[in-house]
Structures are given as structure tokens and as C-alpha cells.
Amino acid sequence: MVSVLFSNSSGKVYSMCHQELASRSSLLARPRSAAQEERGQRERAEVQQYGGAALNTVKENKALKEENTKLKKLVADLSLDKVALKELLEGKW
């Protein structure tokens, strides 16, 4: 049987088996702020999306996605400029 050691906020150490710990899950529950909950959800989503990738890989992937988005906007803007200049030269304005 596996015992789990943990302490409460006053520093008292408890030892419980896994089943007893599961039945007293309220001992482990702590109120969380909305920001903590949101951060936890975001972290779970990232783990699910990126699997076991290293933190550096995840950060690099995010940076690349942001750069890709900026470049796509830039290409769209330049394409519109090209079309406008073409129409201006053809005398459609």
C-alpha cells in the first residue's frame, strides 16, 4: 500500500493511503483566483496541443506563429497596394 505524506498550512504532516486521500480530496482543494484558473486552462491546452515538447520549442513555435501572422498581413496589404496601383495606371480611377 502506498502512503502519501503532505502537510497542511500549519505545517502538520499527514500520512494517508491513496484511497483515504481520495476520499478526503477537500483537504487538497484550495480556492483559486480567476487568473490562476485561466493560466491553468491555458497551460493544459498548451500541453495538449504541443504534447511533451520542451518549453523552448513551445516558445519558439509561438513566436514563429506570431511572425507568420504579421507577414501574412503584410503580404495582404502589399497585394492591395499592387492592385490599386495597377488600376490607377490603367486609368480606371
Side-chain angles (χ1 to χ4, degrees):
M1 178 175 284
V2 177
S3 291
V4 179
L5 295 175
F6 65 95
S7 63
N8 63 7
S9 59
S10 66
K12 185 174 180 183
V13 176
Y14 293 92
S15 174
M16 292 185 184
C17 69
H18 180 69
Q19 291 173 342
E20 186 179 358
L21 186 61
S23 67
R24 296 184 181 200
S25 62
S26 63
L27 291 174
L28 300 176
R30 293 183 180 162
R32 297 177 68 176
S33 69
Q36 288 173 325
E37 187 63 34
E38 183 180 333
R39 185 172 52 243
Q41 288 174 353
R42 191 171 50 245
E43 288 172 355
R44 284 188 294 278
E46 288 174 357
V47 166
Q48 191 174 34
Q49 183 177 2
Y50 299 112
L55 184 60
N56 294 346
T57 306
V58 172
K59 286 182 179 181
E60 184 179 333
N61 194 4
K62 282 185 175 184
L64 288 172
K65 282 184 178 182
E66 289 174 6
E67 183 180 3
N68 191 26
T69 301
K70 289 177 185 176
L71 290 172
K72 283 182 178 182
K73 289 179 182 178
L74 181 63
V75 167
D77 189 42
L78 290 173
S79 296
L80 287 174
D81 289 347
K82 180 182 172 185
V83 169
L85 287 172
K86 199 178 224 182
E87 288 181 3
L88 184 65
L89 289 174
E90 291 175 358
K92 292 184 179 180
W93 281 73

